[in-house]
Amino acid sequence: MADRTTMQAESHALLAVTTLTRKDCLDDEDYEQLTEFGREFRTVPAGVHDVHSNLDIGNLGFEEYAGWAHDDPERIYRSF
């Protein structure tokens, strides 16, 4: 849970965690691909809306955000 102070401060990164399990995937290869960059990543508060909206409509997957966070020097997804 994050309060207003956290959501307004760019210096506090929030933790995003997938609920995906191996049972949700077709096979081990599918699971490995979807969790290649881990089952969690950090995002700045401004990125929460991007993540939520795109996951909700299926425009982007959790693995894409985890990959972008992985590419960041601080391992944080930053808003578009």
Side-chain angles (χ1 to χ4, degrees):
M1 177 175 228
D3 62 8
R4 179 179 295 190
T5 302
T6 300
M7 296 304 288
Q8 292 175 344
E10 286 296 313
S11 62
H12 297 290
L14 303 170
L15 182 65
V17 180
T18 184
T19 58
L20 180 77
T21 66
R22 169 58 186 92
K23 294 179 198 174
D24 299 322
C25 299
L26 299 173
D27 53 30
D28 289 339
E29 185 178 326
D30 186 37
Y31 180 74
E32 290 298 320
Q33 181 182 8
L34 294 173
T35 58
E36 176 182 0
F37 298 109
R39 296 178 36 85
E40 61 186 40
F41 65 89
R42 296 240 174 229
T43 181
V44 294
V48 172
H49 179 72
D50 294 340
V51 174
H52 178 266
S53 297
N54 283 299
L55 291 178
D56 190 45
I57 63 173
N59 189 40
L60 295 168
F62 186 91
E63 69 281 4
E64 292 170 290
Y65 287 102
W68 290 325
H70 178 77
D71 292 343
D72 181 79
E74 296 181 61
R75 302 286 193 245
I76 297 173
Y77 168 71
R78 304 191 189 270
S79 184
F80 293 125

